[in-house]
Amino acid sequence: MRKLQSLRNPPPKFPPCLPPSQSPLGPPQCSGPCTAVSFFPGRHKTDPGSPPTESRLTVAGVCFSGRSSRVSALEMEQEKTNVSKELSPDAASYCCSACHGHEAWSYSRPVRGRAKSRSLSASPALGSTKESRRTRSLHGPCPVTTFGPKACVLQNPQTIMHIQDPASQRLTWNKSPKSVLVIKKIRDASLLQPFKELCVYLMEENNMIVYVEKKVLEDPAIACDDNFGPVKKKFCTFREDYDDISNQIDFIICLGGDGTLLYASSLFQGSVPPVMAFHLGSLGFLTPFNFENFQSQVTQVIEGNAAIVLRSRLKVRVVKELRGKKMTVHNGLSENGLPAPGLDTELGKQAMQYQVLNEVVIDRGPSSYLSNVDVYLDGHLITTVQGDGVIVSTPTGSTAYAAAAGASMIHPNVPAIMLTPICPHSLSFRPIVVPAGVELKIMLSPEARNTAWVSLDGRKRQEIRHGDSITITTSRYPLPSICVRDPVSDWFESLAQCLHWNVRKKQAHFAEDEEDGEDS
């Protein structure tokens, strides 16, 4: 194996590739926020001084013990000291498989907390000993952080996060799930029979507690069905904007289209239980499961045998001047939003915080004038949008309104935020993708002739006036969506089946007689 000591004047303290669990510098960094990988019940706590809580569900492959709490700076330093003492003398000879696929790891003891990657390709071609192998990992290769004989990257001691390879994210239960939230598309008679079959199966076959929204049971077809009466009495009901059920649900089943998944996301302003979505709507890009064999599929999820994709969400903070109006709050909730921390009502401001799965849309509303809004990135003015509006979307939302506005489609595992103008009055204003860790702030320009309107996942539409602001960052709480096969296969299947991506009539090949004629 190639030895790093053979390099001329190597930096003594910064080996290019150390296992994250053994590196004295801590795990690698990412521009996005720390993603909570435990889902209700048992919220991933990060408040200082909060006691550790048992998590009933985690993502397999991450080095978690089922309990989560914030690690103090002193404990981190102590851990780094202990790890540095345990490093073997030949620690500098370590090379990770992502950076140096043709070389083997030199550590004799296993690296904890890292899933083994399986190579999908053959060995490198003869004469190409420096070509790295391709693995099944969805991450890019770990970059070498030494440049030439004397330069290297300055390490940041304030490590933010360590992301698990998305290809190895699988669902597992620390305790058997007992409660399930069933979300059904309202005013759709074709879903009544599947809804009844599913609820009977969950209650009688699996002895589970089923939660439904109260207005679902008020449907005349369900209320007047005498055969469904005994089962209907066992339901636990709730009312949107009044009842908080976030810490009572183990997982969610959606019956309908993509709107049911967006509605499920709006009900959980913190950690979201795993979501299993059945395709019973019109489009179904986000609902990969078919209902024909729902019994076996639900059983697999209950047993913890399923892959998941963590769909990032946006944390949106809307700050508005009160202007003589008061905010209506029911049971601590206000239209699926939460009062933002640090709210100072004495300054005449009200702040509400939302979790958004698809996109935030700022448009000109009913006005005939162009919208005129300033966009700030991490406090710096980057552009002024003059047009019909602007879309700030997640990778999940890139296949929705943003795609119709001309943006590219991004796989949900890519950590990013997309900024897409709507009919801009500029030929050079193209959609852009920014890192997931940035903070966007959108306000009306001082020269704006009219107000703007904002909608969050197509709901909560409200007017934005001068002095109001919208702050958008990536949320720490993604939506764990259960896959039929795996994140990559499901996504491309949805592109082909729902959006007919790159559907074209095949080009005909030349006939043999035409080829002979051209050769002559």
Side-chain angles (χ1 to χ4, degrees):
M1 173 182 288
R2 193 173 51 179
K3 300 292 184 179
L4 294 181
Q5 289 87 342
S6 62
L7 294 175
R8 184 177 59 179
N9 299 326
K13 295 184 180 180
F14 305 106
C17 300
L18 279 178
S21 60
Q22 297 182 2
S23 172
L25 301 174
Q29 300 176 33
C30 176
S31 59
C34 177
T35 302
V37 292
S38 59
F39 317 109
F40 264 110
R43 179 176 296 185
H44 179 73
K45 291 185 177 292
T46 56
D47 297 332
S50 61
T53 58
E54 184 173 358
S55 173
R56 297 180 62 177
L57 184 141
T58 57
V59 178
V62 187
C63 186
F64 282 91
S65 61
R67 293 177 176 269
S68 55
S69 61
R70 185 165 184 170
V71 182
S72 64
L74 181 61
E75 291 173 347
M76 292 177 63
E77 293 297 329
Q78 183 66 28
E79 178 67 19
K80 292 179 182 179
T81 304
N82 296 338
V83 167
S84 61
K85 292 181 180 179
E86 296 176 0
L87 289 175
S88 57
D90 59 344
S93 64
Y94 169 82
C95 291
C96 72
S97 62
C99 296
H100 308 279
H102 61 285
E103 299 179 3
W105 289 4
S106 62
Y107 276 121
S108 58
R109 60 191 184 94
V111 180
R112 298 180 59 190
R114 289 175 62 94
K116 296 181 179 179
S117 59
R118 294 175 292 176
S119 176
L120 296 181
S121 63
S123 58
L126 296 177
S128 177
T129 57
K130 294 185 178 181
E131 181 181 355
S132 60
R133 299 176 187 173
R134 294 184 61 85
T135 66
R136 195 183 177 185
S137 172
L138 294 183
H139 285 322
C142 178
V144 175
T145 55
T146 56
F147 316 112
K150 297 183 179 179
C152 65
V153 171
L154 177 64
Q155 299 294 324
N156 185 353
Q158 298 180 351
T159 300
I160 299 177
M161 70 179 299
H162 178 208
I163 309 177
Q164 182 193 356
D165 174 24
S168 64
Q169 288 175 343
R170 297 193 65 85
L171 185 66
T172 183
W173 302 96
N174 291 337
K175 292 182 179 179
S176 299
K178 296 299 182 183
S179 60
V180 56
L181 169 63
V182 178
I183 297 177
K184 184 186 80 70
K185 186 178 180 181
I186 305 297
R187 297 184 299 275
D188 192 340
S190 63
L191 298 182
L192 294 179
Q193 189 60 32
F195 172 73
K196 294 177 183 179
E197 293 179 7
L198 176 64
C199 293
V200 170
Y201 175 76
L202 293 172
M203 291 182 178
E204 297 183 355
E205 299 293 334
N206 293 278
N207 195 26
M208 301 194 71
I209 302 173
V210 178
Y211 285 79
V212 295
E213 193 173 3
K214 189 175 181 180
K215 60 184 178 182
V216 172
L217 299 183
E218 295 174 353
D219 191 311
I222 296 179
C224 300
D225 190 347
D226 296 334
N227 297 329
F228 196 59
V231 177
K232 186 172 60 175
K233 296 179 181 178
K234 299 179 182 179
F235 282 120
C236 294
T237 61
F238 72 96
R239 295 177 299 170
E240 183 186 5
D241 298 334
Y242 285 87
D243 301 320
D244 184 11
I245 59 171
S246 58
N247 58 352
Q248 302 173 16
I249 305 300
D250 292 335
F251 75 104
I252 305 170
I253 296 179
C254 295
L255 303 177
D258 295 344
T260 58
L261 196 71
L262 297 176
Y263 177 69
S265 171
S266 68
L267 293 177
F268 296 86
Q269 295 300 303
S271 180
V272 186
V275 181
M276 183 180 189
F278 286 94
H279 174 35
L280 293 170
S282 55
L283 184 61
F285 191 90
L286 305 178
T287 54
F289 287 92
N290 292 320
F291 195 77
E292 284 75 15
N293 53 346
F294 75 92
Q295 294 93 340
S296 60
Q297 294 174 335
V298 172
T299 300
Q300 287 184 357
V301 172
I302 294 176
E303 293 175 353
N305 183 20
I308 63 171
V309 55
L310 300 182
R311 298 186 178 275
S312 63
R313 298 196 293 174
L314 299 176
K315 183 177 70 173
V316 183
R317 189 173 187 264
V318 180
V319 180
K320 304 176 69 176
E321 295 183 1
L322 291 176
R323 299 184 181 91
K325 296 183 179 180
K326 295 185 178 180
M327 182 171 47
T328 304
V329 179
H330 305 287
N331 195 23
L333 301 177
S334 177
E335 296 184 358
N336 296 130
L338 295 177
L343 175 63
D344 191 352
T345 56
E346 295 182 358
L347 297 178
K349 300 278 187 177
Q350 81 173 24
M352 291 298 297
Q353 191 166 287
Y354 304 90
Q355 299 285 333
V356 175
L357 179 60
N358 258 3
E359 75 269 310
V360 180
V361 179
I362 297 96
D363 58 71
R364 59 188 176 91
S367 174
S368 58
Y369 293 108
L370 292 174
S371 68
N372 196 339
V373 295
D374 294 334
V375 180
Y376 296 83
L377 191 148
D378 289 338
H380 301 282
L381 178 65
I382 58 172
T383 191
T384 298
V385 180
Q386 297 183 97
D388 282 352
V390 63
I391 306 168
V392 181
S393 60
T394 63
T396 297
S398 68
T399 54
Y401 193 1
S408 298
M409 294 179 290
I410 306 176
H411 190 275
N413 280 132
V414 178
I417 298 176
M418 175 168 282
L419 192 70
T420 307
I422 307 173
C423 298
H425 199 251
S426 170
L427 297 179
S428 60
F429 197 168
R430 307 304 303 157
I432 61 172
V433 177
V434 297
V438 304
E439 179 184 86
L440 295 173
K441 188 174 183 179
I442 300 177
M443 303 178 64
L444 274 179
S445 298
E447 300 83 9
R449 297 182 178 182
N450 58 294
T451 62
W453 290 76
V454 60
S455 59
L456 315 169
D457 278 343
R459 309 178 72 196
K460 315 295 183 274
R461 189 165 175 80
Q462 48 195 292
E463 191 175 12
I464 301 298
R465 300 174 179 270
H466 287 283
D468 301 342
S469 65
I470 305 168
T471 304
I472 305 171
T473 58
T474 299
S475 171
R476 290 186 56 252
Y477 300 103
L479 184 141
S481 179
I482 300 175
C483 304
V484 174
R485 287 181 291 176
D486 59 79
V488 175
S489 299
D490 285 8
W491 192 67
F492 278 100
E493 181 72 16
S494 295
L495 286 181
Q497 296 297 326
C498 301
L499 300 182
H500 303 291
W501 177 61
N502 198 26
V503 174
R504 181 190 183 275
K505 186 178 180 179
K506 292 284 187 178
Q507 185 181 41
H509 63 83
F510 285 124
E512 294 183 0
D513 53 350
E514 293 181 1
E515 293 180 356
D516 295 339
E518 290 182 358
D519 294 339
S520 61

